[in-house]
Amino acid sequence: MEKAGGRGGPRGPVLHIVVVGFHHKKGCQVEFSYPPLITGEGHDSHTLPEEWKYLPFLALPDGAHNYQEDTVFFHLPPRNGNGMTVYGVSCYRQIEAKALKVRQADVTRETVQKSVCVLSQLPLYGLLQAKLQLITHAYFEEKDFSQISILKELYEHMNSSLGRATIEGSQVYLGLSPRDLVLQFRHKVLILFKLILLEKKVLFYISPVNRLVGALMTVLSLFPGMIEHGLRDCSQYRPRKSLSEDAGLQHATPPADDYVSGSASDISNTNSGMCTKKVSGNHGGDAPKADGSLAQIAKDASSTQASSSFGQPVRLPVHVTPETSENEWETLDPGILEGTSVKEKEQVEHKQIHFLPRDRVPSESPPITVQPQANLGQVVFVPGLISGLEEDQYGMPLAIFTKGYLCLPYMALQQHHLLSDVTVRGFVAGATNILFRQQKHLSDAIVEVEEAVVHIHDPELRKILSPTTADLRFADDLVKHVAENRDDVFLDGTGWEGGDEWIRAQFAVYVHALLAASLQLDNEKMLSDYGTAFVAAWKSTHNYRVWNSSRHPALAEMNPNHPFQGQYSVSDVKLRFSHSVQNSERGKKLGNAMVTTSRNVVQTGKAVGQSVGGALSSAKTAMSLWLSTLTQSTTQGLTDPPDGKQ
């Protein structure tokens, strides 16, 4: 287990229990921590470790006052640049101040807003949430926030109950429902899956936070082994420096034609000072507000980044634009993946030691072969020598969230600078503040969770992600199994057909077949079913190059063909047309026009019918009256002949 804050090892996977409150003058702040966040400080200390300076804004989310309660999943960087991601789960609630039994002097508002937070070494989001919600409810029911004994008991109970827990099994996915995701996004689920495979900058947007983090983490759960073992390096970032430190850094900056070299260890071991500018979200009107616009915040951050977090030193100009930095990231460490000299490989491996324990230093003998493990009823994970992640015999999880590709289930406004940070090559992040959504140039795709819409800004990227016929069949089969009412069929190892485990199994088969197809010699036809342009783009990503640097004989048992390959049929044409109408801009316009035209025709038909029907009815009535009059006149003429005529 990772050591917490330089102290002795923690008693279990839970590092800290933290209470974050909203102060009417100071904004969000830590009010209680057990054990203390900093050694030697008291439980009620407001001081934060530099790496966790954003903790209050993550635990008490922006706009929280609009909801009675909420839940947040978030990630924190490791302390002192060592170890793995720290997984945070926070339960927020608010209570009326007049309901408190003990009202402290600093409570001056009508409502009190607080979050109880768990910082853990295990990614057990749903399990921690279930336990934390009960304790948070009980803590608020006390109506006296000085009663902290229940929080200390929570720390002891969680460490005792989770100390023997493993991160394999269904408990990892508690609260993450692929069924709901498929019902909402339908065929677009596969597009989200491929976006992350390409390591693009993806921003999820919705409010409240619990819906946001639930959708984002559910998408990640579709990647085999990702939740369990793939997020250990997903929050390797450094907080933004204060304005005074930025000024000092600018004075010490070498001329523009000079260059600097950096590595991941340089970045993760850099300590930056406390931020002097206090920023609070929309928690209340009395809170101090952020100085300057969102664009200015990003501009301040961009000039302070001078090093790269890739394993190999990289020479970057001091003044780097986000556009050029992305190209640099794509070519930072090809040596370790494409057969470099022994000397270069030793340099790379030396730089990567901080990602690996001492007993897992990469070997010099190329290439690496991962031996198949005996099937004992459960997946066996072994250390990956290149990725530093725990991998199964197929090389899963893929090393997506490594080397500067971040996973931030919830991103606070104070973290906005990370979107334009040159040391961040990509991200999958969630936000509830509309200012994030408006900065479209900082992301490749924006996912509107409420409307189930995926906005992809680049036309070329949209073309690359356009689903093939086989992909449409795959997605359509998922939707049909989930949406249609059918007899439940239990499949060994994957749960109920159409259930959560079954959906994850389908994506596992998909990615395994894709990897197997990429290794075939004559594979043009196989890869065309996945999208030739997509596969070409994917092969240039960091995660594929890391995976391809090792051999995985277990994949020889996998069928390299697309799970839904086959000849075209009429149903494929209908499926393609339906997808085009629902997803393309031209198709949407055509669909809207058809709906509008159909509505107008129906309304016009009703109006015409009413008009014609009314005219016919009037004519019929008039004719009936005329015939009736004529009949009466004729009868009267026959019975009463005119006078004087016989």
Side-chain angles (χ1 to χ4, degrees):
M1 287 293 180
E2 171 193 350
K3 292 184 179 181
R7 305 185 309 273
R11 301 179 185 178
V14 175
L15 300 176
H16 302 279
I17 302 294
V18 180
V19 175
V20 175
F22 180 75
H23 193 275
H24 66 284
K25 292 184 178 180
K26 300 177 182 179
C28 299
Q29 63 178 7
V30 172
E31 298 179 345
F32 170 83
S33 59
Y34 181 80
L37 295 177
I38 298 179
T39 305
E41 297 283 348
H43 296 308
D44 57 350
S45 173
H46 303 317
T47 307
L48 290 168
E50 177 60 23
E51 298 89 345
W52 294 354
K53 64 188 298 181
Y54 300 130
L55 171 59
F57 310 106
L58 294 170
L60 196 58
D62 186 42
H65 65 284
N66 294 319
Y67 302 95
Q68 193 66 27
E69 58 185 19
D70 204 354
T71 303
V72 188
F73 301 159
F74 60 90
H75 294 156
L76 292 174
R79 296 280 296 275
N80 303 321
N82 301 317
M84 301 179 295
T85 296
V86 175
Y87 308 96
V89 177
S90 174
C91 286
Y92 159 82
R93 290 196 68 179
Q94 62 176 326
I95 186 175
E96 293 185 356
K98 62 182 181 181
L100 295 176
K101 296 179 180 178
V102 178
R103 181 167 178 167
Q104 299 175 350
D106 59 352
V107 177
T108 61
R109 305 170 69 93
E110 295 182 356
T111 59
V112 177
Q113 304 167 11
K114 293 184 186 294
S115 288
V116 181
C117 175
V118 173
L119 303 182
S120 172
Q121 293 176 319
L122 297 180
L124 302 173
Y125 305 97
L127 186 61
L128 293 176
Q129 175 188 354
K131 294 177 178 291
L132 190 57
Q133 283 179 334
L134 296 175
I135 298 301
T136 303
H137 178 77
Y139 181 55
F140 272 75
E141 285 299 311
E142 292 281 347
K143 296 181 174 58
D144 180 5
F145 295 118
S146 63
Q147 301 296 323
I148 58 176
S149 59
I150 189 175
L151 302 177
K152 295 181 179 180
E153 292 174 2
L154 173 64
Y155 174 81
E156 302 294 343
H157 167 73
M158 281 193 167
N159 276 325
S160 62
S161 61
L162 300 178
R164 298 178 300 273
T166 61
I167 54 175
E168 277 80 29
S170 59
Q171 62 181 357
V172 177
Y173 303 115
L174 183 64
L176 306 179
S177 175
R179 279 183 55 88
D180 295 340
L181 188 74
V182 171
L183 286 173
Q184 185 173 11
F185 283 90
R186 303 179 72 82
H187 298 74
K188 299 172 189 175
V189 171
L190 188 57
I191 295 178
L192 295 176
F193 188 81
K194 285 189 168 184
L195 263 173
I196 299 175
L197 273 179
L198 294 181
E199 298 177 351
K200 295 301 179 181
K201 299 177 179 179
V202 185
L203 181 69
F204 285 71
Y205 176 82
I206 195 178
S207 188
V209 182
N210 66 83
R211 296 186 61 189
L212 172 73
V213 298
L216 189 151
M217 297 308 299
T218 300
V219 173
L220 297 188
S221 73
L222 301 178
F223 291 83
M226 185 62 71
I227 300 292
E228 300 96 313
H229 303 287
L231 301 178
R232 56 168 290 168
D233 294 329
C234 72
S235 61
Q236 298 280 354
Y237 66 86
R238 56 179 179 182
R240 186 167 67 93
K241 296 177 180 292
S242 64
L243 296 181
S244 60
E245 288 180 307
D246 287 346
L249 180 63
Q250 292 172 1
H251 288 301
T253 299
D257 54 352
D258 290 343
Y259 289 82
V260 294
S261 296
S263 67
S265 58
D266 297 329
I267 291 174
S268 56
N269 290 328
T270 299
N271 292 323
S272 53
M274 295 296 290
C275 182
T276 58
K277 185 164 55 175
K278 297 178 181 177
V279 184
S280 68
N282 297 330
H283 298 284
D286 298 336
K289 296 184 179 180
D291 297 330
S293 64
L294 195 59
Q296 291 174 333
I297 296 177
K299 183 177 180 181
D300 293 339
S302 62
S303 63
T304 66
Q305 313 302 331
S307 58
S308 165
S309 63
F310 245 88
Q312 183 174 345
V314 55
R315 294 175 61 81
L316 287 176
V318 174
H319 301 288
V320 184
T321 62
E323 290 79 7
T324 59
S325 66
E326 183 176 355
N327 296 330
E328 294 287 349
W329 275 109
E330 293 299 330
T331 57
L332 286 179
D333 65 342
I336 194 172
L337 307 174
E338 298 175 2
T340 61
S341 65
V342 175
K343 182 178 180 180
E344 292 173 339
K345 190 170 184 178
E346 288 176 352
Q347 293 175 350
V348 172
E349 291 167 350
H350 176 72
K351 294 293 183 180
Q352 285 187 327
I353 289 178
H354 73 283
F355 286 112
L356 303 172
R358 292 185 180 272
D359 59 346
R360 283 194 262 151
V361 178
S363 171
E364 296 182 4
S365 57
I368 301 168
T369 300
V370 179
Q371 296 296 334
Q373 304 293 325
N375 187 5
L376 302 177
Q378 62 181 1
V379 180
V380 178
F381 288 85
V382 296
L385 297 182
I386 303 299
S387 67
L389 306 176
E390 297 286 332
E391 299 176 354
D392 65 9
Q393 57 188 346
Y394 303 108
M396 301 291 104
L398 294 172
I400 296 176
F401 296 101
T402 59
K403 304 292 187 179
Y405 192 79
L406 305 182
C407 175
L408 304 173
Y410 172 69
M411 176 178 277
L413 185 62
Q414 290 75 12
Q415 294 177 299
H416 179 268
H417 68 93
L418 294 176
L419 301 185
S420 56
D421 193 327
V422 296
T423 65
V424 175
R425 63 187 178 93
F427 54 81
V428 177
T432 59
N433 195 304
I434 193 173
L435 295 177
F436 283 95
R437 187 178 63 174
Q438 293 173 347
Q439 303 289 316
K440 295 182 179 180
H441 63 285
L442 297 178
S443 62
D444 296 313
I446 296 179
V447 182
E448 301 271 4
V449 179
E450 182 68 38
E451 293 81 13
V453 175
V454 182
H455 299 286
I456 301 176
H457 314 316
D458 182 15
E460 186 63 26
L461 180 57
R462 286 200 299 268
K463 184 178 179 181
I464 291 175
L465 292 172
S466 179
T468 64
T469 299
D471 280 346
L472 286 177
R473 293 171 184 165
F474 173 80
D476 191 59
D477 184 68
L478 289 177
V479 174
K480 286 182 177 179
H481 277 82
V482 172
E484 292 181 0
N485 293 324
R486 59 175 64 197
D487 295 334
D488 290 332
V489 178
F490 188 81
L491 304 177
D492 186 24
T494 61
W496 296 107
E497 189 175 29
D500 292 337
E501 293 182 20
W502 180 86
I503 294 173
R504 294 190 190 97
Q506 305 313 302
F507 277 93
V509 170
Y510 182 93
V511 72
H512 288 161
L514 173 59
L515 290 167
S518 69
L519 299 177
Q520 302 298 315
L521 297 178
D522 187 15
N523 59 2
E524 288 79 6
K525 178 61 176 69
M526 294 180 185
L527 296 181
S528 65
D529 285 332
Y530 300 95
T532 304
F534 164 76
V535 174
W538 178 50
K539 284 187 174 182
S540 67
T541 61
H542 176 73
N543 72 81
Y544 179 81
R545 292 182 301 178
V546 169
W547 179 86
N548 195 41
S549 65
S550 303
R551 293 176 180 173
H552 306 280
L555 277 177
E557 303 175 2
M558 299 298 300
N559 183 354
N561 293 306
H562 194 290
F564 284 82
Q565 65 156 355
Q567 299 294 327
Y568 295 112
S569 63
V570 177
S571 60
D572 293 326
V573 177
K574 294 169 61 178
L575 188 60
R576 171 69 62 182
F577 178 76
S578 175
H579 175 79
S580 300
V581 170
Q582 293 176 9
N583 295 280
S584 67
E585 293 298 326
R586 184 178 300 176
K588 290 178 181 178
K589 293 179 180 178
L590 176 62
N592 293 334
M594 293 175 62
V595 172
T596 303
T597 303
S598 176
R599 186 185 302 115
N600 292 338
V601 168
V602 171
Q603 292 176 351
T604 303
K606 290 181 179 180
V608 170
Q610 291 175 354
S611 301
V612 174
L616 290 175
S617 178
S618 301
K620 183 178 180 180
T621 303
M623 181 63 70
S624 300
L625 291 174
W626 180 75
L627 289 174
S628 176
T629 304
L630 180 62
T631 303
Q632 292 176 357
S633 299
T634 303
T635 305
Q636 184 178 6
L638 290 174
T639 55
D640 298 317
D643 294 341
K645 293 185 179 179
Q646 296 298 319

